[in-house]
Amino acid sequence: MGPTSAPHGTPCLRIGGAVRAPRALAMAELRALPQHACDVVFSCRRAGARHHRFAGPLLLDVVGEADPVFAGGDRKARLRFLLSLRADDGHRAVLSWGEIDPEFGAVPVLVALSRDGRPLDVEGPTLAVPGDRCGARSLTALRELTLRPDA
Amino acid sequence: MRDLRCVAPDGALLAHLHRHPDGTLTLVPEQGPPLTIRQPSPGAPILVHRADELLGTVTPEDPTFTTRTFTARLGSTAWTVTANAFATRYRVTTPDDALVATATHPVLSSTLTLTTSEPPTLLLAALTATRAHRPAPTAYTPS
């Protein structure tokens, strides 16, 4: 499936797995969440350093909309969970929950809705991971998030 | 979108915060009329209204990687509101850096706990206005 336009009312990002309320969020719903910005530098082998500013909701808040269930209950139980992410073009990446949790790794990973001030309405949301060296986890047209325990 | 409960440290309900699909917030205090919090455009000051009356503005400063800072001018008050990058901890201070309030919003919780000895409604408006903020649509600029 190729890139598709994501009009305001069209669900574009599915959230499932270990959640109480699986959701499909449209761009407008993602835009209504608290918005953040982050600067990312991609050190590309061929093109050199590329600087971008991404803006959108925190991945943490996006997953929070589906009400995650962390079996085990205590704070450290969250460290056993991971997020499996899939883009429209088939690219996949996995993040550990501990990376994005402010009580642990505290990396403000964004589900970016704009890049350098340009809305990503046509492409769909992009995963923006500050600190990634070459942007390999910057999945374009993010379509699916699944929260899973480690085993 | 999930609502946020705002409570005192003893658990007493202070207000509900409702988020509308367009990003506008309605703060409904336990006592007194509701307040509307909205940002007319990304990067602009956030406006706080009671009915049709403009109570004041909450203006975003340049964020850092770890901190977001806002200047709130609501009624006769002027505060600095500082939130961490994840909006899980807040501080409100006066211009001479006296602490007015703190608040915590634990990860994935739908409850914000406000600690202050001041009347809470305007403080909650200043704090929660940070959740209505949309960054200015700008490209990266080296600092």
Side-chain angles (χ1 to χ4, degrees), chain A residues 28-29 32-37 39 51-53 55 58 60 64-65 68 70 97 100-103 106-108 116-117 130, chain B residues 1-2 19-23 63 65 68 84-88 106-108 130-141:
Chain A
E29 292 171 293
L33 293 170
Q35 302 289 297
H36 299 252
D39 294 327
H51 298 260
H52 293 292
R53 173 164 290 177
L58 290 167
L60 187 80
E65 286 296 296
F70 295 103
W97 183 268
I100 67 167
D101 191 313
E103 294 186 0
V107 179
D116 299 326
Chain B
M1 302 293 112
R2 298 191 303 169
R19 179 178 288 276
H20 300 276
D22 66 356
F65 189 70
R68 300 196 302 160
N84 67 359
F86 289 89
T88 56
V107 180
L108 302 173
T130 64
R131 301 175 64 79
H133 171 55
R134 293 167 292 158
T138 54
Y140 173 84
T141 48

Coordinates of all heavy atoms in Angstrom, one line a residue, chain A residues 28-29 32-37 39 51-53 55 58 60 64-65 68 70 97 100-103 106-108 116-117 130, chain B residues 1-2 19-23 63 65 68 84-88 106-108 130-141:
Chain A
A28 N -6.4 14.9 12.7 CA -7.0 16.0 13.6 C -7.0 15.6 15.0 O -6.7 16.5 15.9 CB -8.4 16.3 13.1
E29 N -7.2 14.3 15.3 CA -7.1 13.9 16.7 C -5.7 13.9 17.3 O -5.5 14.3 18.4 CB -7.7 12.5 16.8 CG -9.2 12.4 16.5 CD -9.7 11.0 16.4 OE1 -9.3 10.3 15.5 OE2 -10.5 10.6 17.3
A32 N -4.9 17.5 18.1 CA -5.6 18.0 19.3 C -4.9 17.6 20.6 O -5.2 18.2 21.7 CB -7.0 17.5 19.4
L33 N -3.9 16.7 20.5 CA -3.1 16.4 21.7 C -2.1 17.5 22.0 O -1.8 18.2 21.1 CB -2.4 15.0 21.5 CG -3.3 13.8 21.4 CD1 -2.5 12.6 20.9 CD2 -4.0 13.5 22.7
P34 N -1.6 17.5 23.2 CA -0.5 18.5 23.5 C 0.6 18.4 22.5 O 1.1 17.3 22.2 CB 0.0 18.2 24.9 CG -1.3 17.6 25.5 CD -1.9 16.8 24.4
Q35 N 1.1 19.5 21.9 CA 2.0 19.5 20.8 C 3.4 19.9 21.3 O 3.5 20.8 22.2 CB 1.6 20.5 19.7 CG 0.2 20.2 19.1 CD 0.2 18.9 18.3 OE1 0.9 18.8 17.3 NE2 -0.5 17.9 18.7
H36 N 4.4 19.3 20.8 CA 5.8 19.6 21.2 C 6.6 19.7 19.9 O 6.2 19.3 18.8 CB 6.4 18.4 22.0 CG 5.6 18.2 23.3 ND1 6.1 18.4 24.5 CD2 4.4 17.7 23.5 CE1 5.3 18.1 25.5 NE2 4.2 17.7 24.9
A37 N 7.8 20.3 20.1 CA 8.7 20.4 18.9 C 10.1 19.8 19.3 O 10.5 19.9 20.5 CB 8.8 21.8 18.5
D39 N 14.3 19.4 17.6 CA 15.2 19.5 16.5 C 16.0 18.2 16.4 O 16.5 17.6 17.4 CB 16.2 20.7 16.8 CG 15.5 22.0 16.8 OD1 14.5 22.1 16.0 OD2 15.9 22.9 17.6
H51 N 19.6 19.1 9.3 CA 18.9 19.6 10.4 C 17.4 19.7 10.1 O 17.0 20.3 9.1 CB 19.4 20.9 10.9 CG 20.9 20.9 11.2 ND1 21.3 20.8 12.5 CD2 22.0 20.9 10.5 CE1 22.6 20.8 12.6 NE2 23.1 20.9 11.3
H52 N 16.6 19.2 11.0 CA 15.1 19.3 10.8 C 14.4 19.6 12.2 O 14.9 19.2 13.2 CB 14.5 18.0 10.3 CG 14.9 17.7 8.9 ND1 14.6 18.4 7.8 CD2 15.7 16.7 8.5 CE1 15.1 17.9 6.7 NE2 15.8 16.8 7.1
R53 N 13.3 20.4 12.1 CA 12.5 20.6 13.3 C 11.2 19.9 13.0 O 10.5 20.1 12.1 CB 12.2 22.1 13.5 CG 11.2 22.3 14.6 CD 11.3 23.7 15.2 NE 12.5 23.9 15.9 CZ 12.8 25.1 16.4 NH1 12.0 26.1 16.3 NH2 14.0 25.2 17.1
A55 N 7.4 18.7 14.7 CA 6.4 19.0 15.7 C 5.3 18.1 15.7 O 4.9 17.6 14.6 CB 5.9 20.5 15.5
L58 N 3.7 13.9 21.7 CA 4.7 12.9 22.2 C 4.1 11.5 21.9 O 2.9 11.2 22.1 CB 4.8 13.0 23.7 CG 5.6 14.2 24.3 CD1 5.4 14.4 25.8 CD2 7.1 14.1 23.9
L60 N 4.5 9.1 23.7 CA 3.9 8.7 25.0 C 2.4 9.1 25.1 O 1.6 8.3 25.6 CB 4.7 9.4 26.1 CG 4.4 9.0 27.6 CD1 5.2 7.7 27.9 CD2 4.9 10.1 28.5
G64 N -0.9 6.8 25.2 CA -1.8 7.0 26.3 C -3.2 7.1 25.9 O -4.1 6.8 26.7
E65 N -3.5 7.6 24.7 CA -4.9 7.7 24.3 C -5.6 6.3 24.2 O -6.8 6.2 24.3 CB -5.0 8.3 22.9 CG -4.7 9.8 22.9 CD -5.8 10.6 23.7 OE1 -7.0 10.6 23.3 OE2 -5.5 11.2 24.8
P68 N -2.9 2.2 27.9 CA -2.0 1.0 28.0 C -2.2 0.2 29.3 O -2.6 0.8 30.4 CB -0.6 1.6 28.0 CG -0.7 2.9 27.5 CD -2.1 3.4 27.8
F70 N -0.2 -2.3 31.7 CA 1.1 -2.8 32.0 C 1.0 -3.9 33.1 O 0.9 -3.6 34.3 CB 2.1 -1.7 32.5 CG 2.4 -0.7 31.5 CD1 1.8 0.5 31.5 CD2 3.3 -1.0 30.4 CE1 2.1 1.5 30.5 CE2 3.6 -0.1 29.4 CZ 3.0 1.2 29.5
W97 N 9.7 0.6 25.9 CA 8.9 1.6 26.6 C 9.8 2.4 27.5 O 9.6 3.7 27.7 CB 7.8 0.9 27.5 CG 7.0 2.0 28.1 CD1 7.2 2.5 29.4 CD2 5.9 2.7 27.6 NE1 6.2 3.4 29.6 CE2 5.4 3.6 28.5 CE3 5.2 2.6 26.3 CZ2 4.3 4.4 28.3 CZ3 4.1 3.4 26.1 CH2 3.7 4.3 27.1
I100 N 11.1 5.9 26.2 CA 10.3 7.0 26.1 C 9.6 7.4 27.4 O 9.0 8.5 27.5 CB 9.2 6.8 25.0 CG1 8.2 5.8 25.4 CG2 9.8 6.5 23.7 CD1 6.9 5.8 24.6
D101 N 9.8 6.6 28.4 CA 9.1 6.9 29.7 C 9.9 7.9 30.4 O 11.1 7.8 30.6 CB 9.0 5.6 30.5 CG 8.2 5.7 31.7 OD1 8.3 6.7 32.5 OD2 7.3 4.8 31.9
P102 N 9.3 9.0 30.9 CA 10.0 10.1 31.5 C 10.7 9.7 32.9 O 11.6 10.3 33.4 CB 9.0 11.2 31.8 CG 7.7 10.6 31.6 CD 7.9 9.4 30.7
E103 N 10.2 8.5 33.4 CA 10.8 8.0 34.6 C 12.0 7.2 34.4 O 12.7 6.7 35.3 CB 9.8 7.3 35.5 CG 8.7 8.2 36.0 CD 7.8 7.5 37.0 OE1 8.0 6.3 37.2 OE2 6.8 8.2 37.4
A106 N 13.5 8.8 29.1 CA 13.0 10.2 29.0 C 13.4 10.8 27.6 O 13.8 11.9 27.6 CB 13.5 11.0 30.1
V107 N 13.3 10.0 26.6 CA 13.6 10.6 25.2 C 12.2 11.1 24.7 O 11.3 10.3 24.6 CB 14.2 9.5 24.3 CG1 14.4 10.2 22.9 CG2 15.5 9.0 24.8
P108 N 12.1 12.4 24.4 CA 10.8 12.9 23.9 C 10.6 12.6 22.4 O 10.6 13.4 21.6 CB 10.9 14.4 24.1 CG 12.4 14.7 24.1 CD 13.1 13.4 24.6
D116 N 9.8 20.9 9.6 CA 10.3 22.3 9.2 C 9.1 23.2 8.8 O 9.2 23.9 7.9 CB 11.2 22.1 8.0 CG 12.5 21.3 8.4 OD1 12.9 21.4 9.5 OD2 13.0 20.6 7.5
G117 N 8.1 23.1 9.6 CA 6.9 23.9 9.5 C 5.9 23.5 8.4 O 4.8 24.1 8.2
P130 N 14.7 12.1 18.6 CA 15.8 12.9 18.9 C 17.0 12.1 19.3 O 16.9 11.1 20.1 CB 15.4 13.8 20.0 CG 13.9 13.7 20.1 CD 13.6 12.4 19.5
Chain B
M1 N -10.6 12.5 23.2 CA -9.5 12.9 24.0 C -9.9 12.8 25.4 O -11.0 13.0 25.8 CB -9.2 14.4 23.7 CG -8.8 14.7 22.2 SD -7.3 13.9 21.6 CE -8.0 12.7 20.4
R2 N -8.9 12.3 26.2 CA -9.2 12.1 27.6 C -9.2 13.4 28.4 O -8.4 14.3 28.2 CB -8.1 11.2 28.2 CG -8.0 9.8 27.5 CD -7.2 8.9 28.3 NE -5.8 9.4 28.4 CZ -4.9 8.8 29.2 NH1 -5.2 7.8 29.9 NH2 -3.7 9.4 29.3
R19 N -10.7 18.6 26.8 CA -10.0 19.0 25.5 C -10.9 18.7 24.4 O -11.5 17.6 24.2 CB -8.7 18.1 25.4 CG -8.0 18.4 24.1 CD -6.7 17.6 24.0 NE -5.7 18.0 24.9 CZ -4.9 19.0 24.7 NH1 -4.9 19.6 23.5 NH2 -4.0 19.4 25.6
H20 N -11.1 19.7 23.6 CA -12.0 19.7 22.4 C -11.2 19.2 21.2 O -10.0 19.4 21.2 CB -12.7 21.0 22.1 CG -13.5 21.5 23.3 ND1 -14.8 21.1 23.5 CD2 -13.2 22.3 24.3 CE1 -15.3 21.7 24.6 NE2 -14.3 22.4 25.1
P21 N -11.9 18.7 20.2 CA -11.2 18.2 19.0 C -10.3 19.2 18.3 O -9.3 18.9 17.6 CB -12.3 17.7 18.1 CG -13.4 17.3 19.0 CD -13.3 18.3 20.1
D22 N -10.7 20.5 18.4 CA -9.9 21.5 17.8 C -8.7 22.0 18.6 O -8.0 22.9 18.3 CB -10.7 22.7 17.4 CG -11.3 23.5 18.6 OD1 -11.0 23.0 19.8 OD2 -11.9 24.5 18.4
G23 N -8.5 21.3 19.8 CA -7.4 21.7 20.6 C -7.7 22.7 21.7 O -6.9 23.0 22.6
P63 N 11.6 26.9 23.9 CA 11.8 25.8 24.7 C 13.2 25.3 24.7 O 14.0 25.6 23.7 CB 10.9 24.7 24.1 CG 10.8 25.1 22.7 CD 10.9 26.6 22.6
F65 N 15.6 21.5 25.4 CA 15.3 20.0 25.2 C 14.5 19.5 26.4 O 13.7 18.5 26.3 CB 16.6 19.3 25.0 CG 16.5 17.8 24.6 CD1 16.0 17.5 23.4 CD2 16.8 16.8 25.5 CE1 15.9 16.2 23.0 CE2 16.7 15.5 25.1 CZ 16.2 15.2 23.9
R68 N 10.0 23.5 29.1 CA 9.2 24.5 28.4 C 8.8 25.5 29.4 O 8.3 25.2 30.5 CB 8.0 23.8 27.8 CG 8.4 22.7 26.8 CD 7.3 22.2 25.9 NE 6.1 21.7 26.7 CZ 4.9 21.7 26.2 NH1 4.7 22.0 25.0 NH2 3.9 21.2 26.9
N84 N 8.4 20.4 32.6 CA 9.4 19.5 32.0 C 8.9 19.1 30.6 O 7.8 19.3 30.2 CB 9.8 18.4 32.9 CG 8.7 17.4 33.1 OD1 7.6 17.5 32.5 ND2 9.0 16.3 33.8
A85 N 9.8 18.4 29.8 CA 9.6 18.1 28.4 C 8.3 17.2 28.3 O 7.7 17.2 27.3 CB 10.8 17.4 27.8
F86 N 8.0 16.4 29.3 CA 6.9 15.5 29.2 C 5.7 16.0 29.9 O 4.7 15.3 30.0 CB 7.3 14.1 29.9 CG 8.3 13.4 29.0 CD1 9.7 13.6 29.2 CD2 7.9 12.5 28.1 CE1 10.6 12.9 28.4 CE2 8.8 11.8 27.3 CZ 10.1 12.0 27.5
A87 N 5.7 17.2 30.5 CA 4.6 17.8 31.2 C 4.1 16.9 32.3 O 2.9 16.8 32.5 CB 3.4 18.1 30.2
T88 N 5.1 16.3 33.0 CA 4.7 15.6 34.2 C 5.0 16.3 35.5 O 4.5 16.0 36.5 CB 5.5 14.2 34.2 OG1 6.9 14.5 34.2 CG2 5.2 13.3 33.1
P106 N 1.5 12.4 36.7 CA 2.3 11.2 36.5 C 2.0 10.6 35.1 O 1.0 10.9 34.5 CB 1.8 10.3 37.6 CG 1.2 11.1 38.6 CD 0.6 12.3 37.9
V107 N 3.0 9.9 34.7 CA 2.9 9.2 33.3 C 1.6 8.5 33.2 O 1.2 7.7 34.0 CB 4.1 8.2 33.2 CG1 4.1 7.6 31.8 CG2 5.4 8.9 33.4
L108 N 0.9 8.8 32.1 CA -0.3 8.1 31.7 C -1.5 8.3 32.6 O -2.5 7.7 32.5 CB -0.1 6.6 31.5 CG 1.0 6.2 30.5 CD1 1.3 4.7 30.5 CD2 0.6 6.6 29.1
T130 N -0.5 25.4 29.1 CA 0.7 24.8 28.4 C 0.3 23.6 27.6 O 1.0 23.3 26.6 CB 1.8 24.4 29.4 OG1 1.3 23.4 30.3 CG2 2.2 25.6 30.3
R131 N -0.8 23.0 27.9 CA -1.2 21.8 27.2 C -2.0 22.2 25.9 O -2.3 21.3 25.1 CB -2.1 20.9 28.1 CG -1.4 20.5 29.3 CD -2.3 19.7 30.3 NE -2.7 18.5 29.7 CZ -2.0 17.3 29.6 NH1 -0.8 17.3 30.1 NH2 -2.6 16.3 29.1
A132 N -2.3 23.5 25.8 CA -3.0 23.9 24.5 C -1.9 24.5 23.5 O -2.3 24.8 22.4 CB -4.0 25.0 24.8
H133 N -0.7 24.5 24.0 CA 0.3 25.2 23.1 C 0.7 24.3 21.9 O 0.9 23.1 22.0 CB 1.6 25.4 24.0 CG 2.8 25.8 23.2 ND1 2.8 26.9 22.4 CD2 4.0 25.3 23.0 CE1 3.9 27.1 21.8 NE2 4.7 26.1 22.1
R134 N 0.7 25.0 20.8 CA 1.2 24.4 19.5 C 2.5 25.2 19.1 O 2.4 26.4 19.0 CB 0.2 24.4 18.4 CG -1.0 23.5 18.7 CD -2.2 23.8 17.7 NE -2.7 25.2 18.0 CZ -3.4 25.9 17.1 NH1 -3.6 25.4 15.9 NH2 -3.9 27.1 17.4
P135 N 3.6 24.5 18.8 CA 4.8 25.3 18.5 C 4.6 26.0 17.1 O 3.8 25.6 16.3 CB 5.8 24.2 18.3 CG 5.3 23.0 18.9 CD 3.8 23.1 18.8
A136 N 5.4 27.1 17.0 CA 5.4 27.9 15.8 C 5.9 27.0 14.6 O 6.8 26.2 14.8 CB 6.3 29.1 15.9
P137 N 5.3 27.1 13.4 CA 5.7 26.3 12.3 C 7.0 26.8 11.7 O 7.0 27.5 10.7 CB 4.6 26.4 11.3 CG 4.0 27.8 11.6 CD 4.2 28.0 13.1
T138 N 8.1 26.5 12.3 CA 9.4 26.9 11.8 C 10.4 25.8 11.5 O 10.3 24.7 12.1 CB 10.1 27.8 12.9 OG1 10.2 27.1 14.1 CG2 9.3 29.1 13.1
A139 N 11.3 26.0 10.6 CA 12.3 25.1 10.4 C 13.4 25.2 11.4 O 13.4 26.2 12.2 CB 12.9 25.3 9.0
Y140 N 14.3 24.3 11.4 CA 15.5 24.3 12.4 C 16.3 25.6 12.1 O 16.6 26.0 11.0 CB 16.3 23.1 12.2 CG 17.6 23.1 13.0 CD1 17.6 22.7 14.3 CD2 18.8 23.6 12.4 CE1 18.8 22.8 15.0 CE2 20.0 23.6 13.1 CZ 20.0 23.2 14.4 OH 21.1 23.3 15.1
T141 N 16.6 26.3 13.2 CA 17.5 27.4 13.1 C 18.7 27.2 14.1 O 18.4 27.0 15.3 CB 16.8 28.8 13.4 OG1 16.1 28.6 14.6 CG2 15.9 29.2 12.2

